[in-house]
Amino acid sequence: MQSGDGHFGPFGISRRVLLAALPVLALAACQSKTAGDVLDPGGSAAAPEAKGAATPAPSAGPVPSAQTFGSGETKVFMLLPLSASGGMGEKGRRMFDAAKLAMADLGNQTITLSVQDTRGDSAVAKDLVVKAMTSGARVIIGPAELDAAQRLTSISGPTRPPVLVLAENFPGAPRLYAMALNEADSAAAGAAAIAQKGKRKFVLFVARSPIAGAIEKRVANGLSITGASIALTMPFDPVAEAEKAAADMLATVSTPEGVVIAIGDASPLPILRALKARGVSADKVAVIGTARWLEQPLADPLFQGSYVAALDKSEAGPIADRFKATYGYAPDINAIYAYDSVALTAGIAGAMGPKGFTPQILENRNGFRGSAGVFHFRSDGASERSMSFYRIDRGVAKKIANSVTGF
């Protein structure tokens, strides 16, 4: 099908399919609600701000069981921790609601979506991937558990379909594509944006974790584009070693031009406090946080003047409004990733059919426009996303640039 713009990009797909509002615009003539209606980039939602309270939880009700939606030719499996306890189960149920909304908007006629419950168990998730492979799935969405996603790297062979992984901080692997924004990419984009202003000597504070090396590599690569570099990387325990890390840094690099702090969901306040006590603060040195900072209140004056590269929530305005109207609570970023995963799958299936999920299509450099902005997948499974750049001012993250990247 030719899209309304009449222009075709690589692999015979219209450029609208590849870039504008996910690939689903190719369905405009086939559906009562077009993707242009669904993913209108002109949404008016406010920029990210410090969150004083958590997003309201989904309405109480029975835990959803495995269900199938749609009647399209393309079979898709979605693996979610629907019956898991605690925050993981809540995350799975938010994603489930997002998947239902995406199917109603875009997918019911193009894909058949089978949602399976991993129960938050990595072994169950791996078994469900094998089940999906033997059931003719053309693509798998999920799992949302990092351990489960990492287990999938041991499943290889030509029969394994591509997987759109929903787990946070999954770095990606060949044909295992990371949907969620990685903290490494946020840190790299923020550092690169500051380096473009002429800063050259950076220090990276990173929490000790399995992804610390990946964060250092991504930040170093992002800086190298501008000729800047990491003068020192300080792995540390953000809770117990902030004072020592700050002292050790200054013993080695007395005058950094930029300080990057990537410590996951830990509070950056201890290291910010320790640095300020030694004369290193945002009014003297460029302090760069990550998108994880926006998940907590920013009212403390120690945050003042810091920079963060993060997804622009205003991109998801129309979807967020409709989601809240449908389910009675606001979607979080994980629900947005789930929505985009189903929408992307439906778009490719509608434009290319069941055989359209090839590396050439999924890894196309033009990328896709989702409800959280433009992104594309690399051959190593990592995703690269365009982000907005924010400066924290009196407890609020205020946008100062529309599009920054660290790649």
Side-chain angles (χ1 to χ4, degrees), residues 6 26 59 104 135 164 218 229 234 237 239 241 258-259 289 317 332:
S59 301
S135 300
L164 304 182
R218 286 288 295 114
S229 63
M234 289 294 304
D237 181 328
V239 177
E241 298 178 338
V259 173
D332 61 5

Side-chain angles (χ1 to χ4, degrees), residues 55-318:
T55 305
S59 301
V63 173
S65 59
Q67 295 184 40
T68 299
F69 304 91
S71 58
E73 180 183 5
T74 301
K75 291 184 178 181
V76 180
F77 269 55
M78 188 173 196
L79 312 181
L80 298 176
L82 300 176
S83 63
S85 60
M88 181 57 67
E90 181 178 316
K91 177 179 179 179
R93 293 186 284 277
R94 288 170 185 259
M95 289 181 165
F96 180 76
D97 284 346
K100 290 189 295 181
L101 185 64
M103 287 297 291
D105 286 341
L106 302 164
N108 279 334
Q109 304 304 313
T110 56
I111 66 176
T112 296
L113 180 69
S114 176
V115 182
Q116 303 289 320
D117 182 14
T118 66
R119 306 199 301 270
D121 187 309
S122 297
V124 171
K126 185 175 180 180
D127 290 343
L128 288 173
V129 170
V130 174
K131 176 183 176 182
M133 291 168 57
T134 59
S135 300
R138 294 291 183 171
V139 65
I140 297 169
I141 300 172
E145 308 94 331
L146 181 57
D147 287 347
Q150 291 170 334
R151 286 192 178 214
L152 302 190
T153 60
S154 65
I155 302 176
S156 60
T159 59
R160 189 190 73 188
V163 182
L164 304 182
V165 177
L166 294 171
E168 293 181 38
N169 281 327
F170 179 68
R175 300 276 281 171
L176 298 174
Y177 300 104
M179 282 297 297
L181 173 68
N182 194 299
E183 187 179 27
D185 292 324
S186 174
I194 294 299
Q196 288 169 1
K197 300 179 182 294
K199 307 298 184 182
R200 289 293 174 264
K201 185 166 62 173
F202 288 75
V203 170
L204 170 64
F205 287 92
V206 61
R208 290 196 187 93
S209 74
I211 66 167
I215 293 175
E216 180 180 23
K217 181 178 179 180
R218 286 288 295 114
V219 173
N221 288 344
L223 289 173
S224 68
I225 297 171
T226 65
S229 63
I230 299 176
L232 178 69
T233 297
M234 289 294 304
F236 75 115
D237 181 328
V239 177
E241 298 178 338
E243 291 290 336
K244 182 178 185 301
D248 288 350
M249 182 274 286
L250 286 171
T252 306
V253 182
S254 59
T255 57
E257 296 177 272
V259 173
V260 184
I261 301 173
I263 53 176
D265 59 2
S267 171
L269 289 176
I271 188 63
L272 290 174
R273 188 174 296 111
L275 288 170
K276 184 174 182 179
R278 292 163 176 81
V280 179
S281 56
D283 58 339
K284 299 176 182 178
V285 176
V287 175
I288 303 106
T290 73
R292 301 300 294 271
W293 287 25
L294 303 185
E295 298 173 7
Q296 54 189 293
L298 302 174
D300 193 293
L302 288 169
F303 285 110
Q304 178 69 25
S306 299
Y307 298 94
V308 172
L311 301 179
D312 189 343
K313 291 184 180 179
S314 68
E315 294 272 359

Side-chain angles (χ1 to χ4, degrees), residues 290-385:
T290 73
R292 301 300 294 271
W293 287 25
L294 303 185
E295 298 173 7
Q296 54 189 293
L298 302 174
D300 193 293
L302 288 169
F303 285 110
Q304 178 69 25
S306 299
Y307 298 94
V308 172
L311 301 179
D312 189 343
K313 291 184 180 179
S314 68
E315 294 272 359
I319 290 175
D321 291 344
R322 199 167 57 263
F323 187 103
K324 187 171 184 179
T326 302
Y327 301 115
Y329 69 98
D332 61 5
I333 190 60
N334 294 306
I336 296 299
Y337 290 141
Y339 183 99
D340 280 359
S341 298
V342 175
L344 172 61
T345 303
I348 293 177
M352 305 292 293
K355 296 182 179 180
F357 297 92
T358 65
Q360 290 78 12
I361 297 300
L362 289 166
E363 297 166 16
N364 168 58
R365 287 293 298 178
N366 285 334
F368 309 97
R369 183 174 183 84
S371 51
V374 175
F375 66 96
H376 68 87
F377 297 121
R378 302 190 324 205
S379 60
D380 63 1
S383 63
E384 295 177 335
R385 290 181 174 271

